[in-house]
Amino acid sequence: GSEVKMLATYNNEAAPIVMKPFSNVLDHCLLLPGVTVGREAVCGTFTLGAKGHDFSDFSISTGSRDGKCILLRQRDGPAESESSGLGEAEKRMIQVARTRARSTFHYILFNLWVGVNVLLWSPLSEFFMAGLAVYWLLVPLSTLDLILLSPIIYAVLNVLHLGFICLLKWLVVGRYKEGNYPYYGVFHYKWVMMMILHDSASDFLDSIQGTMFINFFNRAMGAKIGRNAIVMSAALEADLLEIGDLACVGLDCDVNCHTVENMVIKLAPVKILDGASVRTAAVVMPGGTMERGSVLMEQSQVLKGETVDPNQIWSGLPAEQERISLDHIL
């Protein structure tokens, strides 16, 4: 996953980090020396792998408490087996994805797709900014007028860039829908393309975070953003994101609506309702809900399918309810 740190050397200690077949290390995980991630084990978002920790085969872990990760579930066997506890549809998706992962043809095809999209879309920002150079070279104005108008031209060019991303999203993907999608399927190819497109505009999106302009972009991409909400991020699967009136999503919060487990992309809605606050570097996982007036503290994580009730304060990895709630204050 993204933002993963795997430190085979730490504090003058060194030991190999081992990932066994079909293991999963998701976004924002930290693995220290000597960690072993077992076969089909899943290190969920924000998992800490302490020195020498062994994530057992078929386990699902997350977060950390007192320096140790939290074991969420332990499957009895491989994903394809009857003892896995997975539904038949998901097992078929996993089988399809793994078959394609073993295929040299699909491996090369997918990497070619990624390479072509990087070549096409990563330079988009420079392409649109070339318009600024054209403006300076061809527009017959005085130097002072050119300087004064440059910020406006810069803003217009960036808006065109974001508009192009919106147009391709609706043409290529349409509306993101809740569900499961296997790796190396059609949706996976489209999803990767959109991630690259999003990244091409990351600098400008960072510069407008927290303003009404990023709300306009998220709405154009399909999100439901309420009145006077403060949002510091742009969502990839925006159709599944709902942010209420006067809600706040802080810096470095992940508002994407996907997880990846066993080579299956899982999309589910994220709801942050009226007046709710998600503070710096916190995350509401897909299927999670922040009810009216609730607060998720810094660097905390609401797990998939969990709901933070109105006016409650939650914190931790994974998050739990604090003893005090806003009912005592309001």
Side-chain angles (χ1 to χ4, degrees):
S2 63
E3 305 295 331
V4 169
K5 291 187 172 71
M6 304 177 74
L7 306 179
T9 59
Y10 185 74
N11 283 348
N12 297 320
E13 295 185 35
I17 294 173
V18 178
M19 293 184 62
K20 294 185 178 179
F22 300 117
S23 56
N24 301 251
V25 178
L26 306 187
D27 299 348
H28 308 290
C29 288
L30 171 61
L31 304 186
L32 295 178
V35 166
T36 298
V37 186
R39 182 180 181 87
E40 296 189 26
V42 177
C43 297
T45 303
F46 287 115
T47 298
L48 169 64
K51 288 189 294 183
H53 184 78
D54 186 357
F55 293 93
S56 60
D57 294 348
F58 317 122
S59 63
I60 301 176
S61 305
T62 193
S64 65
R65 189 171 293 131
D66 298 325
K68 298 180 180 179
C69 64
I70 308 299
L71 178 64
L72 293 179
R73 290 196 304 277
Q74 177 69 56
R75 293 204 325 261
D76 292 331
E80 302 97 327
S81 69
E82 293 295 328
S83 60
S84 67
L86 301 176
E88 291 301 319
E90 185 172 348
K91 285 195 282 188
R92 284 195 296 272
M93 286 185 184
I94 293 170
Q95 289 172 345
V96 168
R98 289 180 177 177
T99 299
R100 290 175 177 171
R102 294 185 182 100
S103 163
T104 302
F105 170 77
H106 283 285
Y107 178 80
I108 293 173
L109 181 64
F110 179 74
N111 281 274
L112 285 174
W113 174 257
V114 172
V116 167
N117 277 275
V118 168
L119 291 174
L120 281 175
W121 310 128
S122 290
L124 264 185
S125 179
E126 289 77 9
F127 171 80
F128 280 100
M129 286 305 99
L132 196 59
V134 172
Y135 157 76
W136 270 83
L137 291 172
L138 300 183
V139 175
L141 294 174
S142 69
T143 300
L144 179 60
D145 289 337
L146 288 170
I147 292 172
L148 292 175
L149 288 173
S150 287
I152 297 173
I153 302 300
Y154 172 81
V156 169
L157 291 170
N158 276 290
V159 169
L160 289 174
H161 184 181
L162 296 184
F164 181 74
I165 292 172
C166 288
L167 177 64
L168 282 185
K169 182 263 182 182
W170 290 106
L171 289 175
V172 174
V173 176
R175 189 173 295 278
Y176 287 100
K177 297 179 182 179
E178 182 175 3
N180 297 340
Y181 305 88
Y183 260 36
Y184 304 109
V186 173
F187 176 82
H188 186 208
Y189 280 76
K190 294 178 179 179
W191 186 65
V192 167
M193 172 183 165
M194 290 310 305
M195 280 197 288
I196 296 168
L197 275 166
H198 260 248
D199 189 61
S200 74
S202 59
D203 289 342
F204 184 66
L205 289 171
D206 286 345
S207 71
I208 62 174
Q209 60 188 2
T211 71
M212 64 181 181
F213 303 110
I214 201 164
N215 289 350
F216 293 157
F217 176 70
N218 280 323
R219 290 184 185 120
M221 295 290 282
K224 296 178 181 178
I225 308 293
R227 178 177 55 87
N228 294 342
I230 298 175
V231 183
M232 306 297 282
S233 303
L236 179 61
E237 304 91 1
D239 304 285
L240 297 170
L241 178 65
E242 179 180 349
I243 298 176
D245 297 343
L246 301 173
C248 178
V249 179
L251 280 169
D252 298 322
C253 291
D254 189 339
V255 293
N256 291 318
C257 301
H258 72 266
T259 58
V260 177
E261 298 174 25
N262 296 307
M263 304 186 78
V264 174
I265 304 163
K266 298 184 176 184
L267 303 188
V270 171
K271 297 182 180 181
I272 301 165
L273 302 183
D274 295 352
S277 178
V278 180
R279 305 188 66 172
T280 302
V283 59
V284 180
M285 295 296 289
T289 299
M290 298 287 296
E291 292 282 5
R292 183 183 180 93
S294 59
V295 176
L296 181 62
M297 299 301 289
E298 291 88 347
Q299 297 181 326
S300 298
Q301 175 193 27
V302 172
L303 296 178
K304 293 191 298 181
E306 288 190 333
T307 296
V308 181
D309 289 334
N311 297 327
Q312 288 184 352
I313 301 173
W314 282 34
S315 66
L317 290 171
E320 295 180 334
Q321 183 181 355
E322 294 287 342
R323 292 183 179 180
I324 189 171
S325 75
L326 294 179
D327 290 325
H328 295 94
I329 301 171
L330 300 176

